[in-house]
Amino acid sequence: MHDAAPTTIYLKDYTPFGFLVDNVHLTFDLAPNATRVTSRIAFRPNPDATARTFFLHGEGLKLISAAIDGAVITPDVTPEGLTATVPDAPFVWEAVVEIDPGNNTALEGLYMSNGMYCTQCEAEGFRKITYYPDRPDVMSTFTVRINGDLPVLLSNGNPSGQGDGWAEWIDPWPKPAYLFALVAGDLIAHPGKFTTKSGRNVELNLWVRPGDEGKCAFGMEALKKSMKWDEGVYGREYDLDVFNIVAVDDFNMGAMENKGLNIFNSSAVLASPETSTDMNFERIEAIIAHEYFHNWTGNRITCRDWFQLCLKEGLTVFRDAQFTSDMRSAPVKRIHDAIDLRARQFPEDNGPLSHPVRPESFQEINNFYTSTVYEKGAEVIGMLKRLVGDEAYAQALDLYFERHDGQACTIEDWLKVFEDTTGRDLSQFKRWYSQSGTPRVSVAEGWADGTYTLTLRQRTEPTPGQEDKQPQVIPVAIGLLGPNGDEVRATEVFELTEAEQSFTFTDFASKPVPSILRDFSAPVILEHEPTNAERAFLLAHDTDPFNRWQAGRSLAEDTLLRMITDEATPDADYLDGLQAVLRDKALEPAYRALMLGLPTQSELAAALHDNGITPDPMAIWRAVETLRQATAQHVQDLLPRLHSETLVDGPYQPDAEQSGKRALGGAALALTSRLDGGLKAAESYARADNMTLQLTALSCLLRAGKGEAELAGFYDQWQHDRLVMDKWFALQVTMTGPENTVETTRRLTEHADFNWKNPNRFRALIGSLAGSHAGFHQADGAGYALLADWLIRLDPVNPQTTARMCGAFQTWKRYDADRQALMRAQLSRIAETPNLSRDTTEMVTRILGA
């Protein structure tokens, strides 16, 4: 018995709400278990609506009273909301409801986190606060009064008044309810100021709990950089007098872009050299930028409906990727994005959870905050920019902001500004939004009489609900290299629009070597089988940083697959090429560190499956370990030099230069630890003065089977810091051998510091189990059972986190029959759990339906 029969909602059924909202006045009388919310909302008939049913969403609310134009009414109330008879003219709706934020463990709507009141209203959390048309196309100004005995009372917009036990806020910019925010607590502000390019002064605050004041400086500087960058690159100024960020410990997402009051998961904003790694700093910088950029791409222009989620998220992810590229290294950022897309989005795109960037239907919108909507959505924006060019892209964006400011828009609105700017017909390009699955582009080469031909063929495999795929517009960036390594044809973008097309290049004295899909110009799987000698040639000579990295990655994948299937030895071309790259001081350290990375074990399993081979997780793990050991032995003479090259002079800075050095130094330490049993890692741990070095050294020790004393010391040193303890939990699972993964996880679930109701702690431990490929897929199915146990336990407490973690099972049909049976049994056990949430029901049903 589930909590409600799932209802499927379809894009084709969209109709406007029957009423417009002119203004909203909310009064909150805060109490942990009996908060009263008084709403006063001015409605008027919507002339564009075809129906005038007055339905307000509401879930888990205790209705105290309701009135229309001052007259008390008794509406028809259901668990989903209420209906009432209303005038066919403007009217004022008033209601008083009571809610229980103290027991709201789902972390949607108004809830409490360690004594602090906070909200999360995207996607449909506002309906858990008061009765309202909780849909993104209903926009209004908000005036909010908060009554409570806590010292800090915050909401959206600008402060308009405050006194003993109360504060009032006015947001002058119309917004949908999903952008509403309220925070009340004992908080301390880390202040800052920003002057916009037009001369307006903006007050900035980063609000934290007492004790976290020392972790705010980086976040504040990242915010200022974001504001300046958005003015310079997109011409977008901030539009309120104040911008507040609040750090919250219990939060399902990374952060939320509520207008003027961004609420952040603590892990996405708090940072110090002692407690945060370089990767943490970079992630924080990107997330702060992302949420700030939403002020225009998401807030000022929002989504008409939740099917258009990619309109705000894909565009904003693309913008934050541009920002990171400008702040750090563009090639390194592009490679990281491709790694992430292939590891997370490609499996989603090609499995039971596949859906278009703009879905056609959903049952629970929370389940569509996916890598497809976000990261693939960003890749679609990048392709569009590549096709029309930088200048036309800038002109189209200016038109987008001018034409649609203050509106709730669709993908059609977005593409129309490009058509109007460039004169291009984008109807075929639009298939990127409507067609699911990852296109595969195969390559055939031809050479005769000085003429070189590339024939490209595209196909997309069937996905759930979509059998027949049509050709898409795929920008393929191609360069050609001569036999001596010189570039004989500079990068040119070719548009693949048919199922098969040939591109001809003439007047060559010898056959060139192609460099295809430069800069990862489209999110496709490239099916091209050059020889390992050609890959080694590209690794040595390609002028495109992405494809040079890709050549090394392909060599690594090829040698690993042959080691797994044919018991081959590590490929000499790969090891020699890697050594040459590591020697090249002209390459930035972060790039060389990336070169040392290997395909993930899950990617290798997918490659085997694509080739008709059933993957053996333990065989994959052994091959990866063998290749890493061989790499350490092959480059051992270089390792002392790498250690000395990557030493950082001066105080710690989380900038690109220092972070790159530490990344390469850490990679070198990992290789050294395979040769010296962790001796140098122990020395490094003892003298580490920042979390990056400390955690890197500890990881190396644990991987070498050492470090018990250091692990215990790490706990003693950091047990007071909740974010560092998340690292402590995750590290033990990820660094243990696969045969011990399940038992280590089980043991840590019994630790006094395992607060499974906190999403960060749950993801740190249980998410690490799910992400440990060979450990999770142990043949006895113990990993599957342990994950299912915890998902069943978490679901009634936090359905969102539960549903998202069900994705660990999405590749279940990739493996052997025994593992498939074990996973299917656990999925069925979850599905049959009484009162399972809508969120988890939909996810498990889709996965089982593969």
Side-chain angles (χ1 to χ4, degrees):
M1 189 76 179
H2 301 130
D3 66 351
T7 301
T8 301
I9 300 167
Y10 295 93
L11 170 61
K12 62 181 175 60
D13 292 338
Y14 170 83
T15 56
F17 184 56
F19 300 85
L20 301 175
V21 178
D22 289 325
N23 55 72
V24 177
H25 289 256
L26 300 174
T27 299
F28 288 80
D29 294 296
L30 298 177
N33 301 114
T35 289
R36 288 217 167 180
V37 184
T38 302
S39 60
R40 186 175 185 274
I41 306 168
F43 287 100
R44 60 187 165 91
N46 182 354
D48 295 329
T50 56
R52 291 277 165 75
T53 300
F54 185 73
F55 172 77
L56 303 183
H57 297 97
E59 294 181 7
L61 308 175
K62 179 181 178 182
L63 180 62
I64 305 300
S65 64
I68 293 177
D69 289 334
V72 174
I73 66 164
T74 304
D76 182 14
V77 179
T78 70
E80 288 75 42
L82 59 78
T83 53
T85 301
V86 298
D88 188 20
F91 65 93
V92 175
W93 163 269
E94 294 173 280
V96 179
V97 303
E98 188 174 280
I99 56 178
D100 182 2
N103 286 310
N104 180 1
T105 61
L107 313 184
E108 293 179 276
L110 179 68
Y111 66 94
M112 300 198 74
S113 172
N114 297 325
M116 179 200 308
Y117 293 87
C118 55
T119 55
Q120 172 54 32
C121 293
E122 187 178 357
E124 296 176 339
F126 192 77
R127 63 191 62 184
K128 297 183 177 182
I129 292 176
T130 193
Y131 288 103
Y132 194 77
D134 189 8
R135 41 189 288 168
D137 59 344
V138 176
M139 303 173 70
S140 175
T141 59
F142 278 67
T143 299
V144 177
R145 181 184 173 100
I146 309 169
N147 300 318
D149 57 3
L150 289 162
V152 176
L153 306 172
L154 305 173
S155 191
N156 309 88
N158 295 318
S160 56
Q162 65 179 30
D164 186 19
W166 68 274
E168 188 173 86
W169 294 79
I170 296 176
D171 187 354
W173 299 102
K175 68 172 181 284
Y178 82 84
L179 290 170
F180 172 80
L182 179 151
V183 171
D186 181 10
L187 300 168
I188 296 173
H190 179 94
K193 290 190 179 297
F194 183 82
T195 302
T196 68
K197 65 179 182 180
S198 64
R200 288 180 49 254
N201 292 319
V202 181
E203 177 186 333
L204 311 177
N205 292 295
L206 207 168
W207 296 92
V208 297
R209 295 183 184 282
D212 287 334
E213 303 95 316
K215 299 180 180 180
C216 299
F218 180 80
M220 180 59 71
E221 289 308 306
L223 174 58
K224 292 177 184 178
K225 287 179 182 178
S226 304
M227 298 175 81
K228 184 176 178 62
W229 185 91
D230 208 18
E231 286 184 344
V233 177
Y234 280 84
R236 299 297 101 197
E237 276 195 54
Y238 187 60
D239 52 7
L240 291 169
D241 299 332
V242 62
F243 188 92
N244 287 315
I245 290 175
V246 182
V248 178
D249 288 346
D250 299 286
F251 204 70
N252 283 332
M253 302 183 186
M256 179 60 207
E257 71 267 17
N258 318 294
K259 184 73 178 182
L261 178 56
N262 285 191
I263 299 179
F264 272 63
N265 187 313
S266 297
S267 69
V269 67
L270 299 180
S272 71
E274 298 77 21
T275 60
S276 308
T277 66
D278 291 329
M279 290 179 65
N280 294 148
F281 278 104
E282 183 172 343
R283 175 175 179 263
I284 287 167
E285 184 178 69
I287 292 177
I288 286 175
H290 179 94
E291 305 308 334
Y292 175 73
F293 297 157
H294 265 313
N295 187 61
W296 277 91
T297 52
N299 297 4
R300 289 283 288 262
I301 304 177
T302 193
C303 306
R304 186 196 71 178
D305 52 70
W306 288 120
F307 297 100
Q308 320 295 329
L309 180 59
C310 61
L311 177 64
K312 75 180 185 79
E313 294 301 348
L315 177 54
T316 307
V317 170
F318 178 71
R319 277 159 38 80
D320 80 54
Q322 288 181 292
F323 171 78
T324 298
S325 295
D326 287 348
M327 295 300 108
R328 294 176 179 267
S329 163
V332 170
K333 171 61 176 169
R334 191 68 189 122
I335 292 167
H336 275 304
D337 285 348
I339 290 171
D340 184 59
L341 195 79
R342 289 167 175 172
R344 296 174 56 232
Q345 197 277 323
F346 279 16
E348 184 174 276
D349 225 357
N350 297 289
L353 300 180
S354 181
H355 62 274
V357 172
R358 180 172 69 176
E360 297 291 327
S361 66
F362 62 77
Q363 293 178 356
E364 175 52 66
I365 184 56
N366 289 328
N367 290 336
F368 282 86
Y369 282 75
T370 62
S371 186
T372 298
V373 167
Y374 279 65
E375 281 73 32
K376 186 175 180 179
E379 292 293 327
V380 174
I381 306 293
M383 285 189 291
L384 186 55
K385 183 174 184 288
R386 197 180 296 270
L387 289 167
V388 304
D390 294 350
E391 184 177 346
Y393 175 82
Q395 292 172 352
L397 265 291
D398 286 343
L399 179 59
Y400 179 63
F401 294 126
E402 177 187 339
R403 180 181 289 177
H404 296 297
D405 186 15
Q407 297 179 11
C409 295
T410 64
I411 291 302
E412 286 75 14
D413 296 323
W414 164 253
L415 292 178
K416 186 69 163 57
V417 300
F418 282 87
E419 291 184 326
D420 290 350
T421 300
T422 66
R424 286 184 65 127
D425 180 354
L426 294 174
S427 56
Q428 185 182 7
F429 183 83
K430 187 179 173 183
R431 290 174 187 163
W432 279 104
Y433 287 103
S434 61
Q435 198 158 274
S436 58
T438 306
R440 294 170 179 265
V441 176
S442 62
V443 179
E445 299 178 63
W447 169 250
D449 300 326
T451 297
Y452 178 70
T453 304
L454 279 173
T455 299
L456 305 182
R457 299 178 180 89
Q458 63 162 298
R459 75 182 195 284
T460 304
E461 301 294 338
T463 54
Q466 290 191 353
E467 296 299 319
D468 297 323
K469 308 288 185 169
Q470 299 299 310
Q472 296 176 223
V473 180
I474 302 176
V476 183
I478 298 173
L480 300 177
L481 302 176
N484 62 352
D486 292 341
E487 192 167 84
V488 295
R489 184 77 177 247
T491 303
E492 186 176 351
V493 176
F494 296 88
E495 296 187 29
L496 178 60
T497 58
E498 306 295 333
E500 178 178 324
Q501 280 173 256
S502 294
F503 303 96
T504 300
F505 309 86
T506 58
D507 299 325
F508 292 112
S510 56
K511 180 187 175 186
V513 178
S515 174
I516 305 171
L517 206 68
R518 285 185 156 187
D519 199 40
F520 197 51
S521 58
V524 302
I525 296 171
L526 186 65
E527 297 179 335
H528 183 216
E529 298 297 331
T531 65
N532 278 356
E534 289 171 321
R535 289 183 175 124
F537 175 85
L538 291 171
L539 177 59
H541 299 291
D542 204 326
T543 54
D544 179 70
F546 179 86
N547 269 10
R548 189 174 186 184
W549 168 83
Q550 181 60 59
R553 188 80 160 193
S554 297
L555 274 171
E557 180 175 306
D558 179 76
T559 193
L560 282 165
L561 293 178
R562 287 188 289 108
M563 289 169 69
I564 295 164
T565 58
D566 302 331
E567 298 184 358
T569 56
D571 187 87
D573 284 340
Y574 169 69
L575 295 174
D576 289 342
L578 198 58
Q579 189 173 48
V581 166
L582 293 176
R583 280 201 184 101
D584 189 352
K585 289 186 179 182
L587 298 173
E588 56 184 317
Y591 185 81
R592 285 187 278 168
L594 277 172
M595 284 290 192
L596 281 167
L598 294 176
T600 67
Q601 294 174 48
S602 183
E603 285 179 277
L604 293 168
L608 289 166
H609 182 260
D610 285 347
N611 290 322
I613 300 169
T614 301
D616 177 348
M618 282 304 296
I620 294 171
W621 180 81
R622 285 192 295 268
V624 169
E625 288 297 298
T626 300
L627 183 55
R628 285 181 172 145
Q629 186 69 29
T631 300
Q633 292 168 346
H634 196 78
V635 303
Q636 59 183 309
D637 293 342
L638 269 176
L639 294 176
R641 195 182 94 184
L642 291 177
H643 287 299
S644 62
E645 273 183 32
T646 55
L647 293 175
V648 173
D649 294 326
Y652 176 93
Q653 294 292 333
D655 57 23
E657 181 181 359
Q658 280 199 17
S659 298
K661 286 185 174 182
R662 283 187 289 269
L664 182 56
L669 184 63
L671 294 173
T672 301
S673 298
R674 292 178 176 275
L675 304 175
D676 72 358
L679 184 63
K680 190 170 184 64
E683 296 171 357
S684 179
Y685 184 85
R687 64 172 183 270
D689 62 356
N690 60 73
M691 181 54 66
T692 303
L693 296 181
Q694 190 176 27
L695 203 65
T696 297
L698 185 54
S699 299
C700 292
L701 285 169
L702 294 176
R703 181 67 78 187
K706 308 285 180 61
E708 287 188 18
E710 287 84 356
L711 185 67
F714 187 91
Y715 176 82
D716 291 340
Q717 180 183 3
W718 296 115
Q719 59 181 308
H720 66 282
D721 191 298
R722 57 206 181 277
L723 297 179
V724 179
M725 280 293 94
D726 289 338
K727 296 176 172 64
W728 183 81
F729 275 95
L731 188 67
Q732 294 174 76
V733 178
T734 56
M735 289 297 115
T736 191
E739 68 281 357
N740 298 317
T741 300
V742 174
E743 186 49 44
T744 298
T745 305
R746 184 177 285 114
R747 171 175 56 80
L748 287 170
T749 61
E750 299 170 358
H751 195 282
D753 290 327
F754 179 57
N755 175 11
W756 60 275
K757 293 182 181 180
N758 175 264
N760 288 351
R761 190 60 48 86
F762 190 88
R763 286 188 287 256
L765 182 56
I766 306 301
S768 294
L769 163 69
S772 299
H773 185 258
F776 179 59
H777 288 290
Q778 284 291 292
D780 62 0
Y784 311 147
L786 183 58
L787 177 60
D789 288 344
W790 279 99
L791 294 182
I792 290 169
R793 185 174 183 181
L794 184 66
D795 183 70
V797 173
N798 189 328
Q800 274 193 42
T801 299
T802 306
R804 286 176 185 152
M805 207 160 283
C806 288
F809 289 111
Q810 70 177 314
T811 59
W812 68 280
K813 296 203 78 172
R814 180 187 289 169
Y815 298 93
D816 58 83
D818 289 342
R819 284 184 172 88
Q820 285 191 36
L822 291 165
M823 280 189 269
R824 185 177 184 88
Q826 296 305 326
L827 285 164
S828 297
R829 184 162 71 95
I830 296 170
E832 293 162 6
T833 301
N835 301 313
L836 196 68
S837 69
R838 289 195 306 266
D839 307 60
T840 305
T841 296
E842 181 184 22
M843 289 293 281
V844 173
T845 301
R846 289 167 66 196
I847 293 170
L848 278 170

